[in-house]
Each structure stands twice: as C-alpha cells, then as structure tokens.
Amino acid sequence: MNTLIKLKRTFRACPKSLIVLLVTEIPELFGRFGIMTTIALYLTKNLHQTDATAVMLFSTYLMLAAMSPMIGGYIADRLLGYKPAIVIGACIMIIGDILMVIPSMHMLYLGLAILVSGVGLFSPSLAALVSHLYKDKDQQRDNAFVAYYVSKNIGALLAPPICGVIGVLYGYHYCFLLTSMGMCLGLLVFLLNYHHVPDIRPKKNSTHHPAANNTVQQYIQKNKISSVLLIAASIACFASMVLIYNLRLELLGLSVIVMMVVLTRLFKQSTLQQRRNLGYILITLMASIAFLAMNQLCGASFNLFVERIIDRHYLGFNIPTSVFYSIDPLFMIIFGAGIAKLLSQCTKPNYIIASFSKFSMAMFIFSMAMLTFVMAAYQGTKTGSASGLYVVICYSLCATSELCIAPIALSLVTKLAPNGQTGLIVGLYTFGEAVASFITGAIAKSGDINFSIHSLHSKKMAAGIYQNLFSHLSIALLLAGILMVSVRGLLISYQKKTSFTTLSRGTL
C-alpha cells in the first residue's frame, strides 16, 4: 500500500503534459499486449496453424514493428513534428486493429502490416516528447521514464485477462475489436489535451541540395499529410509482403544495411563528444537486444508452455493462459515505485556507468527467472504438469529485470541523442527490438512441439523439450550479465584514462 501511495504522489508531482502522454500510451500498450498474448493462441486454435507458423508470424510482426520507428522517427524529426505524428500513427493503428477482427489469414496479414506502419510514427514520437520534458535533468529523467514505463503497463495488465476471457468465450479475433476501441480512447484523450503537450518543431535541414532534390523537398513540405500517408501505405505494403512470404532473413539483412548507413552518417557529422555518446548508445543497444531476444519469448514459447504444462485449474475454474501474462505488469504497478527508488540509489561513478550497472542486474535477475521455469519443466517431466506458482515467481522476476533495463536504456539513449535527432535515435534503439525478435524466432524453434499433446507421456516429452530450452536461456543470461559487468569495468578504466566523467549534449 505504501508503494501505491508513493506512486500516487509521484504522479501528482508530474507535469500535466507527462500525464497526457502516459494516458495516451496506456491504450497503445493494451493493444500491443492484447496482440502478443493472443496471436499465437489465435493462430493455433482458431486458424489451425502449426506452432512454427504461429511463432514465425509473431516474431516477424515484432521485427517489423520494431524497425518502422526508424523511418517514423525520422519523419517526426524532420517533417511532421512529434504531436501530429502521434495523431496520424494512432489513426493508422486503429484501422489495422479493425481489419484484424475479420477471421482470415489474409486480413490478419493486412491488419498487422497497417499496425506496423502506425507504430512507426506513434512510438518514437511519444518517447521523444517525454525526453524533451526532462532535458538536462538526469535524476528526474530516470524517474520519469520508470513512471512512464510502469504506468503504461496498466494497459499491459488489463489486456491479458480481458482478451483471454473474450478469446475463450467468443473467439480471439474479437480481442482486436477491443484493442481498436482502446486506441480510439487514447487518441481522444490526446486530442482533448493537445495544447498541454509541448510543440516540438521539426528540425530544419540547412544542408544545400541539388535543385531536383529541392523540388522534391518543397513538394513534401507543401503536402506533408499526403506525403506521410503515402510513405505509411508503402511501409504497410512492404510489411504485408514480408509477413505473407516470411522474408524475415531478407528483412533483417536490408535493415542492417540501412542501420549501418544511418550510423555512418551520424558518426561523420558528429563531434568527438557526440561520437563517444553514440558509442554508449550502441553498447546499450547490444544489451537491449540480448535481453529482449529472450524476454519476447513471453508471447510465444512461454505462453505455449503455460498452456500445455502448467496446471491452470483452480476452484473448479480453468484460468485462461493469457491471464498469467498480466502478472508481469501487475508486479510493475505494485512494486514499480519501490524498485525505481532502489535503482535511483545507483548513481556512481556517473550516469552512464550507473546505467550499465542496472543492465547487468537485469541479466542476473532474468537468469533466475529462467531457472524457475527450469524447475517447473522438470516437475512436468515427472508428473506431466507443474504448479502455477512457478509462473507467478518467474513473471515477477521478469518484471523486476525489465524495470532494470527497459526504461533505463530508453532514458539513456534519449539523453545521449544529438539535438534534433531524438526520434531517429529512438527509432535506431527500437531497431534493436527487431534484431531481438529475429533471434527470438530462432530460439523458439528449439522449443517447438511438433507432436500432439493428448496423453501423459506426450506431456512429459514436451516438458523435457521446454526444460532444455529454459536451461540454455538461464545460462546465456548469466553469461550476458558477466559480460555487462566486464564492459562496465572497461568503461570505468577508459573514462579514467580520458578524464571523461561528465556528459554534454551536442548538436549535429
């Protein structure tokens, strides 16, 4: 209760513009978690697809949704501004949700592709605005991003149980109708409080270009909305082709090339200080990829493990699998303020090193979470099922580890981003989620169950496969934590040698 009171006081102290952004983000995360918790079940149960197909489509969608913010963030930085980008992105996402209500693989592909396009504009713009509110305020910045991350998990808390019940009673495709209604509510809140949010103008490009390029730029400036919608439609068409033909590997290769071009351009135009900051951003990106590659299994292998092995019968009622997914956000909401206070004590020797200390903590805690699932799977190999208490412990540890890395990493990269490039840098950061999603799909293959689970023997066999998967994940996370501690030590030595102990924000 004391934690909830502290969280309430924290929100009262927040500026109204931050509250508006938080409330706008809640429905978006409701929709995201609604899709993550139901899409694998929807594909396997309602559309009768295999585990491999469900996992591949799930991870491919996550890849696309993580890549599009690189383009959307650039558009928000240079053309639209963050507030209009949020409005347009939300409208596009609503259309995507509505199309997915139609129970068809083709409409699912189209709806997901349109969602990808909307997320690209929406997500980096919100994060950029939160960062702008706390420019040059390190301590308040971290607290604000933790509050942002914790509060938006209200949507993540509500989505799994509600969508799970609707999916079981009426069909999982009706969950997407609910997510579209939630997104409409979030958009309405943002529009009603539009004037409370700071208006960040797009950065003007002072570089001179040939006349042909100037002509194109003049046309785009005069027809901003139509140009953005055309780009969004192109992204949706591209995304639908990737989803239909499963062009995950080709997509990853193309995106890596684009990312390298963007990074090369940024490094060339940067000062020495900015190059150091970009180096820290890249290290943060690598840490996030390692964490997210395993954390995103919550919507795939973890979900299927709970569905098949965990005993979900309580008091004569069979708890829907997706309800367990709400443990993670519930833990964040209840204990998030207390964890944030503990994390805020870690400030030495400086802001950057403290952030890497938190990243290593995240890896170690997540390793313990996977060890919990190893024990659950071991019990499953003996009896064919395992207690739901294992899931409660595992998902609570997952939530703690997530709070140690996700909001801290986003806070760090937005602080280190050059002026006028925050949206692009956030897009670059979310690109890491795309790489992680690709790895997630590869990891999930080792946990595929390619036989029917109807007998006790088949359940024990499936539990053995899951035990092997979770054991390898636990070891990988432990090694990642040790590596982060080593990187932290190297950075301390490097900063001592260069006498670089403070940050300064540069301008491209």
Side-chain angles (χ1 to χ4, degrees), residues 159-178:
I162 296 176
C163 291
V165 171
I166 290 177
V168 171
L169 295 179
Y170 304 105
Y172 287 103
H173 56 290
Y174 286 111
C175 300
F176 307 131
L177 177 62
L178 185 64

Side-chain angles (χ1 to χ4, degrees), residues 75-114:
I75 292 172
D77 282 336
R78 299 291 179 142
L79 184 62
L80 277 179
Y82 301 126
K83 290 166 66 174
I86 290 173
V87 174
I88 296 175
C91 291
I92 294 173
M93 291 165 68
I94 291 169
I95 295 172
D97 280 325
I98 292 174
L99 289 175
M100 290 168 61
V101 178
I102 302 172
S104 161
M105 282 297 294
H106 294 295
M107 297 311 294
L108 180 64
Y109 288 136
L110 181 59
L112 288 174
I114 293 175

Side-chain angles (χ1 to χ4, degrees), residues 186-245:
L187 177 59
L188 179 63
V189 169
F190 186 76
L191 291 175
L192 291 176
N193 296 275
Y194 196 81
H195 61 286
H196 290 297
V197 180
D199 189 15
I200 312 300
R201 299 289 181 180
K203 181 182 177 181
K204 300 296 183 182
N205 193 346
S206 59
T207 306
H208 295 288
H209 298 279
N213 287 342
N214 285 333
T215 302
V216 173
Q217 290 177 358
Q218 289 173 8
Y219 174 82
I220 292 176
Q221 288 294 334
K222 290 180 180 179
N223 302 274
K224 289 183 179 181
I225 303 301
S226 58
S227 298
V228 169
L229 292 178
L230 179 62
I231 295 172
S234 301
I235 293 173
C237 290
F238 175 75
S240 63
M241 296 296 292
V242 173
L243 289 167
I244 292 171
Y245 297 105

Side-chain angles (χ1 to χ4, degrees), residues 442-457:
I443 295 173
K445 284 184 179 180
S446 61
D448 280 352
I449 307 299
N450 54 9
F451 51 85
S452 299
I453 304 178
H454 296 298
S455 64
L456 180 61
H457 177 67

Side-chain angles (χ1 to χ4, degrees), residues 493-507:
S493 300
Y494 170 74
Q495 291 189 357
K496 284 181 179 179
K497 288 180 180 179
T498 58
S499 300
F500 177 63
T501 55
T502 58
L503 289 173
S504 63
R505 187 181 179 92
T507 306

